[in-house]
Amino acid sequence: MAGLQEAGRLGIKPFDEANPVELRPNWTRNDVQAVISAAYRQVLGNEHLMENDRLEEPESLLAQGIISVRDFIRAIAESDLYRQKFLYPNFHVRFIELNYKHLLGRAPYDQTEIAYHLDLFLTKGYEAEIDAYISSIEYENSFGDNIVPYHRDFKTDHPGQRTVGFSRLLQLYGGYANSDRAQGQKQPQLTVAVAKNLPAPLSASKRVALSGPLGGARGDVYQLRVVRAASTRSPVVRQSVTEVLVSYDQLTTKLQQLNRSGNKVLSVTAV
C-alpha cells in the first residue's frame, strides 16, 4: 500500500520492488537454489539458517522435480525446526499470527480467523493447523504450486485484500534485516487491534526501527497523499495528487473508501 517514496522510509522497499520468486518450467540449478533460499527466508521469518539445520531430503526432492515449491514450503512448516523456532517458545495466538505471516504473507484480518485456527490447532493438532494455510483456496489463488509465499499486504494488487492488513502486517514486520525470533515477542502483537477491528498501532520503538511515522493513538491525525482516479465524466484522462487529513479512528474506513473508488494511496503519515 505504501508508494515507492514511502517504502524506503517504512523499511519495506525490498518487498515493494521485488518480484515473486517462482520455479518456472525449464528451471536451472540456480533457479532451484534461489527458490530454496527464498522459501527458508519467508517461512523461517528472515532468520539466518545454519548449515546443519537445512532440510536436505526435501531440498533434494525439489531439485529433482519430485515435489513442488508448495510441498517444500509444507516440509519446512511441518519440520521440527519450525516447531522449535515458532511453536514451543510462543503463546498459541502468537504462533497463529506468525503462521499467517509466513505461509499466507499477511496478518490475520479479524478475530474469526484467529479463533478458527486456535480451535483447529487445539482440537486437530499441529499438522492440521499448518495444512489449513497451505491447502487453502487463498494459498492456491495467491501462490499456486510454484511461487514462494511473500508479504502480499505491502501492495494493493491481490483479491480479497483488506486495507487494514497493511498496518497489521507492518506491526508484525521487524525490518528487512531483522528476524521474527530476534524481535523477542512471545505474546501476540495484534490482540487488541484484531478484537476491536482497528488498524494495528506501532509503538515508538517500532517507528524508529522502521524509519517511518506510521503509528496509532486515539487522538492522532494522519495525512494521506492520494492519487485521485480520473473522472469518468471528463474527456481528459488526468490524475491529480491531493492530501487528505483523517483521524486515527477513521483511518481504516477512509482507506477502504479510497480503494473502492479506484484511488491510490501514496503515503500515510502521522501529523
Side-chain angles (χ1 to χ4, degrees):
M1 184 169 295
L4 292 177
Q5 294 178 346
E6 294 302 314
R9 299 176 63 192
L10 293 171
I12 62 173
K13 192 171 182 180
F15 301 107
D16 201 66
E17 295 181 339
N19 293 320
V21 179
E22 181 180 1
L23 194 60
R24 299 178 179 179
N26 303 317
W27 44 263
T28 66
R29 183 181 182 86
N30 288 339
D31 294 333
V32 175
Q33 290 305 313
V35 164
I36 289 173
S37 297
Y40 279 132
R41 185 168 59 250
Q42 172 67 25
V43 181
L44 297 181
N46 206 37
E47 183 166 353
H48 176 72
L49 183 68
M50 303 297 290
E51 191 64 31
N52 60 352
D53 285 333
R54 299 179 71 98
L55 306 179
E56 294 183 1
E57 182 176 352
E59 284 189 27
S60 176
L61 293 174
L62 180 64
Q64 296 176 64
I66 297 175
I67 65 174
S68 66
V69 174
R70 191 196 313 223
D71 294 329
F72 185 63
I73 297 296
R74 187 190 304 274
I76 300 174
E78 291 184 348
S79 68
D80 289 338
L81 178 67
Y82 190 86
R83 299 177 197 228
Q84 290 167 7
K85 291 180 181 294
F86 304 112
L87 172 63
Y88 302 144
N90 295 313
F91 288 91
H92 289 158
V93 175
R94 170 64 173 163
F95 173 61
I96 291 169
E97 289 178 353
L98 292 174
N99 287 343
Y100 266 101
K101 179 185 177 185
H102 298 161
L103 304 177
L104 291 181
R106 66 173 176 88
Y109 285 149
D110 54 48
Q111 187 63 38
T112 302
E113 291 186 330
I114 291 181
Y116 169 78
H117 281 278
L118 182 59
D119 180 69
L120 183 66
F121 175 73
L122 294 176
T123 57
K124 296 189 177 180
Y126 182 89
E127 292 186 359
E129 157 66 2
I130 297 300
D131 183 68
Y133 303 97
I134 299 177
S135 295
S136 68
I137 295 175
E138 180 178 354
Y139 188 103
E140 171 66 27
N141 292 339
S142 301
F143 313 118
D145 285 330
N146 300 314
I147 297 176
V148 177
Y150 57 92
H151 296 335
R152 296 180 295 141
D153 272 343
F154 288 150
K155 298 184 178 181
T156 55
D157 57 0
H158 63 270
Q161 181 180 23
R162 302 185 195 176
T163 52
V164 73
F166 176 77
S167 64
R168 299 250 178 95
L169 182 57
L170 199 59
Q171 176 72 11
L172 297 180
Y173 175 62
Y176 192 71
N178 205 339
S179 71
D180 287 336
R181 286 215 308 164
Q183 293 180 51
Q185 291 113 347
K186 298 182 178 180
Q187 299 186 13
Q189 297 186 37
L190 301 175
T191 301
V192 174
V194 171
K196 295 185 177 181
N197 195 28
L198 297 171
L202 300 182
S203 65
S205 60
K206 181 82 70 166
R207 294 183 200 182
V208 173
L210 294 175
S211 300
L214 186 64
R218 285 294 180 184
D220 283 354
V221 175
Y222 290 84
Q223 181 183 72
L224 312 183
R225 293 187 68 242
V226 180
V227 176
R228 294 286 188 183
S231 174
T232 56
R233 300 177 182 177
S234 173
V236 180
V237 178
R238 178 180 300 167
Q239 293 182 328
S240 61
V241 177
T242 60
E243 296 180 350
V244 179
L245 294 179
V246 59
S247 67
Y248 173 80
D249 289 340
Q250 296 299 315
L251 182 58
T252 297
T253 301
K254 189 63 178 179
L255 288 171
Q256 291 170 343
Q257 291 173 349
L258 292 170
N259 243 11
R260 286 195 297 267
S261 301
N263 301 299
K264 181 178 180 181
V265 178
L266 296 178
S267 64
V268 181
T269 307
V271 177

